[in-house]
Amino acid sequence: MPNAIASGGGRVHLMDFSGRCILSYDADLNLLHRTPVDFMMHDIIPVDDGFLLSNSSPGDREELIIHTDTSGKVLGRFLSADLSQAIWPVGKPFIRNPKGDVFLKAPFSNDIYVWRDTVPVLAYRADYGSLTPEQGREAEDFLSAGKVGTFHDFLTSDRWLGIFEYADEVYCHMENLSDGQSHLQGKLVRDVPGFYPQWQYGEALVGAVHGDDYGSEAKLQETRLGAVLFFYYLK
């Protein structure tokens, strides 16, 4: 049951959710190694000495991020589950920017950490003032109260985009990482709910979404496509 895919070091790594393992392939997709994991995973990203994995059952083990070596041995656990486990997994916990730096975050958090050697270090924090959610509460509580906690994040070479819901609308927080300036934009893509960037291609952000998510205005039902690939061009 493939649930996530990542690449690094000339290899492609596929996360088998049901099999609780990581399948590693070479560039020609020849199977090289099977790494067993003794917990349920949501996402994966390779690092220099192994993998970072997201724990999809933080109620069993409080930490959300688990660091293993290439054999599956746990080397460290990080980021406690301050929010209800009911909201995990949400969004994509791991991000690699074009420079190759690996970033990680907890769901509905406004903090982003960068992976340094063997530990996460706080790198960026979005401050929404009175709209910042309290810890230890379920997502529905602070969303209905008009609070803000980003549930999907993406890093380009010079910008941090945080996607959040507020007053029944989806917004994008865009931070300029070079000069620290930040601002809020309107809905990321007009009449396209659920578009969350996963890759950067030149000056475009790329994301795949389910075709069933759209209303009649999008005119996608006629295509009968199960998924749609969007390009959002940065200006």
Side-chain angles (χ1 to χ4, degrees), residues 118-129:
T118 59
V119 294
V121 178
L122 183 64
Y124 306 111
R125 171 174 289 160
D127 183 7
Y128 299 103

Side-chain angles (χ1 to χ4, degrees), residues 39-194:
F39 56 90
M40 303 300 285
M41 299 172 289
H42 165 52
D43 198 12
I44 175 180
I45 194 167
V47 291
D48 290 342
D49 57 351
F51 302 98
L52 292 180
L53 310 170
S54 65
N55 183 4
S56 62
S57 300
D60 299 331
R61 296 175 179 174
E62 293 183 357
E63 291 79 12
L64 298 169
I65 306 299
I66 300 179
H67 178 209
T68 73
D69 63 14
T70 54
S71 68
K73 178 183 177 181
V74 174
L75 302 177
R77 302 175 184 272
F78 309 96
L79 302 190
S80 61
D82 291 328
L83 296 173
S84 166
Q85 65 172 330
I87 67 169
W88 182 268
V90 177
K92 187 171 178 58
F94 303 126
I95 314 160
R96 191 190 300 275
N97 70 4
K99 298 178 181 179
D101 298 316
V102 172
F103 297 87
L104 53 151
K105 72 183 297 290
F108 288 94
S109 169
N110 296 322
D111 297 340
I112 286 189
Y113 297 81
V114 62
W115 184 252
R116 292 285 184 246
D117 296 326
T118 59
V119 294
V121 178
L122 183 64
Y124 306 111
R125 171 174 289 160
D127 183 7
Y128 299 103
S130 61
L131 297 182
T132 299
E134 299 85 355
Q135 297 298 302
R137 300 179 62 187
E138 294 189 5
E140 294 79 4
D141 292 337
F142 61 76
L143 287 180
S144 62
K147 301 297 183 178
V148 171
T150 60
F151 56 83
H152 182 93
D153 296 82
F154 188 81
L155 286 160
T156 71
S157 56
D158 60 353
R159 279 171 274 198
W160 165 25
L161 289 83
I163 315 299
F164 64 91
E165 181 179 345
Y166 177 72
D168 296 325
E169 296 283 1
V170 176
Y171 290 88
C172 171
H173 165 96
M174 184 176 292
E175 180 112 8
N176 189 323
L177 302 181
S178 59
D179 59 14
Q181 297 297 315
S182 64
H183 61 275
L184 298 180
Q185 293 192 337
K187 284 193 291 185
L188 189 60
V189 178
R190 182 178 177 84
D191 297 324
V192 184

Side-chain angles (χ1 to χ4, degrees), residues 171-233:
Y171 290 88
C172 171
H173 165 96
M174 184 176 292
E175 180 112 8
N176 189 323
L177 302 181
S178 59
D179 59 14
Q181 297 297 315
S182 64
H183 61 275
L184 298 180
Q185 293 192 337
K187 284 193 291 185
L188 189 60
V189 178
R190 182 178 177 84
D191 297 324
V192 184
F195 171 72
Y196 309 124
Q198 299 275 348
W199 310 275
Q200 182 178 3
Y201 181 75
E203 288 300 311
L205 304 182
V206 185
V209 293
H210 293 291
D212 294 337
D213 290 343
Y214 303 97
S216 58
E217 294 181 1
K219 299 179 180 179
L220 292 176
Q221 288 86 345
E222 298 175 1
T223 65
R224 297 183 180 179
L225 296 177
V228 180
L229 191 66
F230 276 93
F231 288 77
Y232 179 74
Y233 290 94

